[in-house]
Amino acid sequence: MVEPGPWIEGYVRAWNSNDPDDIAALFTEDAVYYTEPYSSPWQGRDDIVSQWLGRQDKPGEAEFEWHPVSVADDVSVIQGVTTYPDKTYSNLWVIRFVPDGRCREFTEWWMRHDSK
C-alpha cells in the first residue's frame, strides 16, 4: 500500500518551489492530471510540468491542510483546504499510485468558499 503523506509533502514542495524537477518527480511518464473531474486531462509528465508552470502560484502564497478520507492499495482520496490571502478552497483529490509512490492519475475537485 502506498501511503499518501510523502507524495502530498512532495506536491506541496513542488507547489511552493515551482521547480520542474520537483513537479516531474511526482508523476509517472504517462500520468494524467485532471484539473477538474470531467475536463480533458494534462497527459504525460512533460505536459503536466508545462501546464503546472503555466498556472503556478507564487511560492508560499497558499497554505494547505489535508486529511485522508480513504487509503487503499493504489488509490487515496484526500480532503483538503487551500487558503490564499484573499480566498479559500475546499479540495477533494483522488490520487492513483504506482508501487514506487509516484502518481499515475490525479483528479482534483475544488470549490471556492463564499467570501462573506
Side-chain angles (χ1 to χ4, degrees):
M1 179 165 62
V2 176
E3 291 294 330
W7 189 88
I8 293 171
E9 289 170 9
Y11 188 101
V12 171
R13 184 173 41 258
W15 192 349
N16 282 306
S17 72
N18 294 310
D19 182 291
D21 291 335
D22 287 347
I23 302 164
L26 298 168
F27 299 96
T28 61
E29 184 67 35
D30 60 348
V32 292
Y33 188 127
Y34 292 89
T35 58
E36 298 175 35
Y38 304 104
S39 64
S40 296
W42 301 341
Q43 296 189 8
R45 184 185 304 136
D46 291 342
D47 189 39
I48 292 169
V49 171
S50 175
Q51 296 286 347
W52 178 311
L53 293 174
R55 59 196 300 188
Q56 63 185 280
D57 290 335
K58 293 177 186 170
E61 178 181 45
E63 293 182 22
F64 183 67
E65 297 178 21
W66 67 277
H67 68 273
V69 174
S70 178
V71 177
D73 288 341
D74 67 345
V75 64
S76 292
V77 178
I78 304 300
Q79 185 175 9
V81 175
T82 305
T83 305
Y84 293 91
D86 61 342
K87 57 194 170 213
T88 302
Y89 294 91
S90 288
N91 310 100
L92 187 65
W93 292 355
V94 177
I95 311 163
R96 297 185 187 280
F97 294 104
V98 296
D100 69 7
R102 290 177 299 148
C103 176
R104 65 178 171 83
E105 183 179 297
F106 181 83
T107 305
E108 61 181 337
W109 284 259
W110 47 272
M111 295 159 284
R112 187 169 178 172
H113 294 198
D114 287 337
S115 56
K116 295 181 180 183

